[in-house]
Amino acid sequence: MTFGIKRTHLASEITPALDGSQVTLLGWLHEKRDLGGLRFLLIRDRSGLVQAVAAKKEVSPELWEELSSFKRESVLAVKGIAKASPQAPGGAEVRIREVLLISPSEDPPIDVVGKTSADLDTRLDNRIVDLRRVEPQAIFRIQSTVASAIRSYLRENGFIEVFTPKIIATATEGGASLFSVFYYDRIAYLSQSPQLYKEQLTSAFERVFEIAPAFRAEESDTQRHLSEITMVDAEAAFMDYQDVMSLLDGLVERVVKAVNEENRRELRALGREALEVKVPIPRITYDEAVSILDRKGVEHEKDADFGTVQLKALSEELRDFYFITDWPTAARPFYAKPLEGRPERCESFDLMYGWIELASGATRVNDGKLLKERMSSQGLNPDSFKTHLKWFNYGMPPHSGFGLGLARLLMVLTGKDNIREVVMFPRDKRRLEP
Ligand code: ATP
Ligand code: MG
């Protein structure tokens, strides 16, 4: 350890059972209080908080003075004796013998202690300090559990994790929401989705997944859209969209179970009960959803994607998780496979929670000729997809998959209605920093 002090215990390990032991804590000064002859320092580390107390009689006059000079968020090493103390949070505290200021802090730009802190914009401007607060701590610890649960679930189901390029030469689904970048002497684009790569890879590995950034130049300013997102993409040979929905049933179930088991403390910090999901998640078709809207007298455009108004109306009937399946072919990307005998509908789905879309998926067209036709009928030029289409001549298996927005899922799990709360460093039309 370069600075020569070794931590003996984490905050959470200071328990009554340690009474009388020498301990060394390393962490941040979360809060401090003076009470006559006692000075309290609340020390925060990755495990939580612990109270350290200096009694004027027990420490040197120099240390006593120094203690009042430390500012919140300074990094400290605290040496002392653990003591059982029924009044202390956690039933034990540390009686201070020595304190070393490892790295001082200025007065923090936002309150780290308070439950109600600054407004979201100010918090995001000061994100690194904001992330020390209880709520963001809980959100991003849950995110880590979610990512890890998704990885193990997909790996157990025979998927391998892959990493595809994010600088690309052509648009995946048409150019509308693409960011362009200078690429040496030409223009390249930031990838909106690993769609084409993951489809191609099913012909080599059968089952692949990727957790990676995707970039979307979203014009609308909403609580659920950002310009840079983390997408969970999976694609499997020899599955159809019904199989993929079953895969998602298992995935959501696994994620919920993992968060309930590993993040009890974090859920409590967010004021959440244990999470629940009943599988199989209900599946309703687009046409059934349309009948619900008709029954409720909610207007909708024929064979079009639903807007917020329609989704909010549907969510009054369909709470929690549900799938909407068999979408109009015209409202989905060219690679979604039309239903046999009913080509105006396709083998596709959205996974919803209330009115929020979490994931989209489909059986893909695996016939090169049909794929070309589908491109043309959606106004795309098959010539710009030459390299993609080429691989359909070399044993492309039937395949299906989904793309899930990690942050959308995290919004549902943490009960947040603004996506900016659950993304560490959100990017939108106005925000490019920090
Ligand atoms: P939406 O209709 O909500 O704009 P989409 O249908 O355009 O989403 P897809 O291309 O289906 O998005 O992407 C798959 C998933 O990625 C979505 O279901 C959503 O969870 C997430 N996602 C897509 N775009 C964004 C975005 N701009 N910000 C946050 N998440 C997004
Ligand atoms: Mg979608």
Side-chain angles (χ1 to χ4, degrees):
M1 197 154 291
T2 47
F3 57 92
I5 302 165
K6 211 165 148 54
R7 166 194 273 158
T8 61
H9 295 79
L10 287 166
S12 64
E13 292 168 340
I14 306 299
T15 59
L18 273 187
D19 191 79
S21 322
Q22 284 226 6
V23 299
T24 303
L25 303 168
L26 296 177
W28 287 258
L29 179 55
H30 188 69
E31 201 176 359
K32 54 178 195 174
R33 252 173 292 137
D34 272 10
L35 251 170
L38 295 175
R39 286 196 166 143
F40 294 88
L41 309 184
L42 214 49
I43 304 296
R44 185 187 70 242
D45 64 22
R46 67 185 147 88
S47 75
L49 295 167
V50 64
Q51 174 170 292
V53 196
K56 192 168 185 184
K57 302 178 301 209
E58 290 173 9
V59 299
S60 69
E62 298 78 41
L63 178 57
W64 182 252
E65 281 318 304
E66 207 188 357
L67 286 179
S68 62
S69 73
F70 296 146
K71 292 194 168 170
R72 280 180 183 184
E73 295 310 307
S74 298
V75 180
L76 303 177
V78 174
K79 285 191 181 185
I81 311 292
K83 208 165 177 303
S85 160
Q87 298 96 319
E93 62 189 17
V94 172
R95 300 296 285 206
I96 294 175
R97 291 288 173 271
E98 269 178 72
V99 177
L100 183 79
L101 178 62
I102 296 172
S103 179
S105 176
E106 295 176 13
D107 286 324
I110 54 167
D111 181 16
V112 175
V113 180
K115 256 237 151 223
T116 46
S117 191
D119 62 88
L120 183 57
D121 255 335
T122 311
R123 284 175 37 214
L124 290 175
D125 288 341
N126 296 284
R127 191 55 149 167
I128 287 296
V129 175
D130 179 57
L131 289 173
R132 301 175 188 181
R133 298 173 51 249
V134 170
E135 278 219 341
Q137 280 276 319
I139 291 169
F140 294 107
R141 287 179 190 281
I142 289 174
Q143 175 174 260
S144 176
T145 305
V146 172
S148 151
I150 292 174
R151 283 203 168 89
S152 23
Y153 176 77
L154 289 174
R155 285 172 52 95
E156 283 164 28
N157 279 279
F159 289 76
I160 67 158
E161 186 165 13
V162 298
F163 305 92
T164 62
K166 300 306 156 203
I167 305 178
I168 53 163
T170 45
T172 313
E173 310 178 20
S177 59
L178 276 181
F179 288 109
S180 49
V181 290
F182 292 112
Y183 190 72
Y184 305 104
D185 56 352
R186 41 193 170 134
I187 296 291
Y189 304 95
L190 295 179
S191 164
Q192 309 164 283
S193 141
Q195 184 64 33
L196 305 186
Y197 285 108
K198 68 174 180 172
E199 284 194 50
Q200 296 163 16
L201 287 169
T202 62
S203 74
F205 297 101
E206 287 196 26
R207 297 181 178 195
V208 295
F209 78 99
E210 177 167 18
I211 303 180
F215 305 89
R216 310 236 169 149
E218 302 280 0
E219 282 305 321
S220 51
D221 181 14
T222 79
Q223 305 252 82
R224 61 189 200 290
H225 288 95
L226 292 174
S227 347
E228 178 174 348
I229 57 179
T230 302
M231 293 258 291
V232 179
D233 272 280
E235 198 73 20
F238 312 117
M239 278 194 186
D240 67 13
Y241 72 135
Q242 302 285 351
D243 300 326
V244 173
M245 283 188 272
S246 302
L247 182 76
L248 274 167
D249 281 344
L251 183 131
V252 173
E253 188 179 44
R254 168 71 72 89
V255 163
V256 163
K257 183 164 174 269
V259 172
N260 282 338
E261 279 174 14
E262 296 170 38
N263 297 107
R264 217 167 296 169
R265 187 174 75 151
E266 286 74 19
L267 288 173
R268 214 178 310 127
L270 294 166
R272 305 280 286 166
E273 306 277 322
L275 309 167
E276 259 185 76
V277 57
K278 284 198 197 68
V279 291
I281 293 170
R283 302 174 189 184
I284 68 154
T285 65
Y286 174 87
D287 292 322
E288 283 163 353
V290 164
S291 321
I292 295 177
L293 293 176
D294 287 342
R295 180 155 42 79
K296 294 173 82 80
V298 179
E299 289 196 13
H300 56 86
E301 209 182 311
K302 190 174 162 14
D303 287 358
D305 198 1
F306 295 134
T308 310
V309 175
Q310 290 80 21
L311 292 175
K312 284 199 167 159
L314 283 176
S315 71
E316 290 164 12
E317 316 275 310
L318 300 152
R319 286 163 211 292
D320 304 348
F321 295 99
Y322 60 98
F323 289 104
I324 304 176
T325 71
D326 303 75
W327 287 77
T329 308
R332 304 298 278 204
F334 64 84
Y335 45 78
K337 184 178 178 187
L339 278 171
E340 223 146 274
R342 206 185 164 207
E344 68 281 9
R345 293 286 179 269
C346 60
E347 298 192 12
S348 57
F349 66 83
D350 277 1
L351 171 62
M352 307 292 301
Y353 187 94
W355 64 279
I356 303 275
E357 178 189 321
L358 304 181
S360 286
T363 312
R364 322 299 187 183
V365 175
N366 82 304
D367 173 77
K369 201 166 137 274
L370 176 59
L371 192 58
K372 256 192 203 165
E373 282 169 29
R374 296 278 307 116
M375 286 170 178
S376 303
S377 70
Q378 297 227 347
L380 297 165
N381 181 0
D383 282 348
S384 37
F385 293 91
K386 258 199 207 117
T387 39
H388 179 60
L389 286 164
K390 183 174 165 187
W391 309 124
F392 286 72
N393 301 324
Y394 298 95
M396 182 61 76
H399 58 279
S400 305
F402 69 83
L404 167 99
L406 181 64
R408 297 267 179 97
L409 179 59
L410 203 57
M411 285 169 75
V412 167
L413 300 174
T414 60
K416 294 290 168 197
D417 47 20
N418 191 333
I419 194 168
R420 291 159 187 79
E421 294 271 5
V422 304
V423 171
M424 275 193 189
F425 303 104
R427 293 284 180 264
D428 60 28
K429 221 171 170 183
R430 291 174 301 126
R431 185 176 286 281
L432 192 51
E433 278 184 306

